[in-house]
Amino acid sequence: YDANYSSHMRDEGTYILDQGDYYLTVATDSHNATNNILTAKGYSVENTDGRMDADGNAALVHKWTQEAFDATTYAVSANGTAIVNQLSLADPNLYEGTKGQNVTWLSRNDWTGTYPSDEQIVLKLTELLIADLQRSRYNPADYETVEMPTLGAENGLKLYDLMGLDYNDPKWDTLLDQLTFDEMVALIGDSFHWRMPAQSVHAPGSRDENGPQGLTVALFGSSLGVETTAFTSEDVMAATFNTELMYQAGKLIGNDCLAADVSCLYGPGANMHRMPYGGRNFEYYSEDGFLSGEICAAEVKGIQEKGVDVVIKHFALNDSEQDRIGLGVWVNEQAAREIYLKAYQKAFEKSGANGVMTAYTRWGAVWSGGVKGLMTNILRKEWGNNGMSITDNVITPMVTGADGVLAGTTTYDAMLPNINNELPGYENDPVIVSAMREACHHNLYALANSSAMNGIGKDTTIRVKELPALVAVRTAMIVVWVLFAGALVLWIMGKKKWKKTEAYLDYQTLKNTLKQEKKADK
């Protein structure tokens, strides 16, 4: 690329093409590519002051000229949605440095002047930064008044009736009116390796399991009698450069899921390899967004052809495994879209991927699953996704229910019950309840079009029933608490009775004597 780089993407707020000459070459490596392009421009080893280490091959170079600046051709997504900046909250220049300094982004137009220095940028803890760092950023005053959605209607529809219908079909509103508030809480907040059933709409539950390299058999009990394939790590998958092979591998993974009665796979992984020591590199394809996207799209296509949902992880910027919970990542819009989101984008736009698993990371100061620009404006609107968006295992209070559903996160992989404890507090808040309804819409839409519906017919009735083991555990816990309470009462009564005895008075006298002697010794 030989055009003058400018700040047009930031100024225009969308994809642009600068005026100038663009060069494309086939080469074995970056040095070879440089040699080819400089040779095509008429340079040689003798007149480039060391920029070339050998003469290149101009025949392997194609030159294309952009006659005029263009801010419209690539300013819409594949589905026709206008592309505008959505991720400015991850730009540290949104905030204020303690010394008034700004971050200078590296520019190909001025490598020397923009190359990162050793100076650290320290941000002031301003009111804006404090607000963005809050556990929950939801403020009812920021939202227009809405009516409370209908709950618990008896419209007679079953999820089966919605199979194959478009996401925006009017029947979905009729079905969603049947949900109760408690069912919505369960569908959103109680999804630790499963999706809960909903009796009011006769939606079955489903088992969901981990598997960036195929279904992880270690999580299954031997009683299931299931054997699954352990595929190679994703970096080796990407190193094949073979999309047909990965499509076939995806179909095998889908078959494994069907055999194990798993209808949603927590995978593949599609983050970038930022360095060789990345803790999850074996679950991510490569350092290249284009290659990762092509391989991911092929694998996803194969898996989903079997009716198995995927949630591609960890969306997004999970580039450090150590201390990843709450890690603030700073990045500009162009780098985010052209590198870190590219693999996800291809899987959605080429293969109709079902959904994502969000990362623990923050975009700047805001948790990934709470960034509406990412979860709704890019994922849903630009890329056209209508499936579910599940969190990574909720083991931290940083992940919040209200902010998540408002931003577009629909399901919580919650080992801890804080989401189920949080959402009931919004039962009378029509803004949050409306967002919960939309989240359930995405969840049920994904479920209706997945293998979870295998064996479900128009006359199938879903009844939610607790397993005997759960009833036994709950009963045992109640008995333990009753016994504890009884023992506590007896202990208190015994202590009161003890205080009335001569032995207790003798004990108190001895205690006071010892205290006086100790004081005298000092």
Side-chain angles (χ1 to χ4, degrees):
Y1 168 69
D2 195 44
N4 287 329
Y5 176 76
S6 69
S7 59
H8 280 142
M9 184 168 187
R10 183 172 65 252
D11 296 339
E12 298 291 336
T14 189
Y15 282 116
I16 59 93
L17 272 181
D18 273 320
Q19 180 181 1
D21 296 332
Y22 292 78
Y23 291 82
L24 177 68
T25 185
V26 177
T28 58
D29 53 60
S30 59
H31 295 284
N32 186 222
T34 300
N35 294 337
N36 290 348
I37 292 173
L38 288 176
T39 298
K41 289 182 175 185
Y43 294 99
S44 65
V45 175
E46 289 76 21
N47 61 10
T48 54
D49 296 326
R51 294 172 66 195
M52 298 175 66
D53 54 19
D55 289 331
N57 186 351
L60 296 178
V61 178
H62 174 72
K63 175 184 174 182
W64 178 74
T65 301
Q66 174 67 21
E67 299 293 346
F69 173 76
D70 182 358
T72 57
T73 302
Y74 301 98
V76 294
S77 68
N79 65 10
T81 301
I83 298 174
V84 297
N85 282 354
Q86 300 288 351
L87 305 169
S88 60
L89 77 174
D91 187 336
N93 292 325
L94 176 68
Y95 302 102
E96 184 180 347
T98 55
K99 299 179 181 178
Q101 74 274 54
N102 288 326
V103 170
T104 300
W105 297 109
L106 186 65
S107 167
R108 62 173 67 90
N109 193 43
D110 182 12
W111 289 112
T112 304
T114 61
Y115 198 82
S117 68
D118 293 334
E119 182 183 8
Q120 293 184 343
I121 303 297
V122 180
L123 299 179
K124 288 183 179 179
L125 198 60
T126 60
E127 290 186 8
L128 176 60
L129 184 53
I130 291 173
D132 286 345
L133 286 169
Q134 294 304 306
R135 177 179 180 271
S136 177
R137 301 163 68 234
Y138 171 57
N139 183 352
D142 295 335
Y143 293 82
E144 296 181 2
T145 302
V146 296
E147 293 185 5
M148 180 66 74
T150 301
L151 299 170
E154 296 183 6
N155 296 327
L157 277 181
K158 296 181 178 181
L159 187 62
Y160 173 86
D161 301 321
L162 280 294
M163 291 176 63
L165 296 187
D166 185 78
Y167 181 82
N168 294 312
D169 191 287
K171 279 190 175 181
W172 277 107
D173 281 331
T174 306
L175 181 85
L176 294 171
D177 285 347
Q178 297 175 202
L179 289 173
T180 67
F181 181 77
D182 288 343
E183 283 177 329
M184 291 200 298
V185 171
L187 280 170
I188 295 168
D190 190 3
S191 298
F192 183 65
H193 288 258
W194 58 68
R195 283 175 283 189
M196 294 295 285
Q199 185 168 310
S200 66
V201 296
H202 297 279
S206 75
R207 183 165 188 174
D208 309 335
E209 288 296 350
N210 198 53
Q213 301 160 249
L215 193 61
T216 306
V217 72
L219 295 177
F220 290 92
S222 58
S223 60
L224 290 176
V226 176
E227 293 184 357
T228 63
T229 307
F231 285 83
T232 183
S233 59
E234 286 193 11
D235 53 346
V236 177
M237 292 178 178
T240 67
F241 287 80
N242 191 329
T243 54
E244 177 59 28
L245 179 65
M246 289 316 305
Y247 166 65
Q248 296 298 335
K251 291 203 294 185
L252 291 175
I253 293 171
N255 283 334
D256 279 349
C257 290
L258 293 179
D261 199 23
V262 168
S263 58
C264 178
L265 185 75
Y266 293 166
N271 284 117
M272 292 295 98
H273 291 188
R274 290 205 64 198
M275 64 181 298
Y277 300 111
R280 284 290 183 93
N281 279 359
F282 69 99
E283 287 187 353
Y284 302 144
Y285 295 106
S286 81
E287 75 282 3
D288 181 80
F290 178 84
L291 173 61
S292 296
E294 291 293 330
I295 298 296
C296 184
E299 184 180 357
V300 164
K301 180 182 178 183
I303 296 170
Q304 292 195 161
E305 280 187 2
K306 299 297 181 177
V308 177
D309 289 335
V310 300
V311 285
I312 309 174
K313 62 186 188 180
H314 302 86
F315 194 63
L317 304 180
N318 188 63
D319 299 315
S320 173
E321 189 65 13
Q322 183 171 334
D323 300 324
R324 64 179 175 141
I325 297 178
L327 174 67
V329 181
W330 303 96
V331 63
N332 63 28
E333 184 103 15
Q334 185 173 5
R337 288 178 176 271
E338 294 183 4
I339 302 174
Y340 304 105
L341 299 182
K342 183 62 68 177
Y344 295 94
Q345 180 179 358
K346 283 185 174 292
F348 285 99
E349 293 185 339
K350 292 188 69 171
S351 301
N354 172 69
V356 296
M357 175 182 285
T358 62
Y360 289 126
T361 51
R362 300 174 186 263
W363 286 73
V366 181
W367 164 57
S368 292
V371 180
K372 187 173 183 179
L374 177 70
M375 301 303 300
T376 294
N377 297 343
I378 292 178
L379 178 63
R380 304 246 182 251
K381 295 180 180 179
E382 289 186 22
W383 298 350
N385 170 250
N386 288 317
M388 66 179 189
S389 301
I390 190 170
T391 66
D392 204 341
N393 184 10
V394 180
I395 54 176
T396 169
M398 180 192 74
V399 176
T400 61
D403 286 21
V405 294
L406 288 170
T409 299
T410 68
T411 313
Y412 288 78
D413 180 6
M415 178 181 285
L416 299 181
N418 55 312
I419 301 299
N420 272 355
N421 292 339
E422 174 193 342
L423 288 177
Y426 295 102
E427 185 171 5
N428 298 316
D429 186 329
V431 171
I432 301 298
V433 175
S434 297
M436 291 172 62
R437 174 190 170 99
E438 186 62 18
C440 291
H441 187 180
H442 288 292
N443 293 342
L444 292 173
Y445 177 79
L447 190 72
N449 295 285
S450 76
S451 59
M453 298 298 289
N454 289 356
I456 303 295
K458 64 179 181 179
D459 296 323
T460 302
T461 299
I462 304 295
R463 298 199 182 280
V464 179
K465 185 178 179 181
E466 285 192 331
L467 294 173
L470 290 177
V471 175
V473 170
R474 182 178 290 108
T475 302
M477 291 182 66
I478 292 173
V479 170
V480 169
W481 278 108
V482 169
L483 292 174
F484 174 77
L488 182 62
V489 170
L490 292 174
W491 180 78
I492 293 173
M493 293 176 62
K495 188 174 182 180
K496 287 182 178 180
K497 187 175 181 181
W498 154 251
K499 287 183 178 181
K500 296 178 181 179
T501 64
E502 290 187 9
Y504 176 77
L505 295 176
D506 291 342
Y507 163 74
Q508 287 294 102
T509 301
L510 178 60
K511 184 179 177 181
N512 291 332
T513 301
L514 292 173
K515 186 184 293 185
Q516 292 294 333
E517 290 178 353
K518 188 175 182 181
K519 188 175 180 181
D521 290 342
K522 287 186 178 180

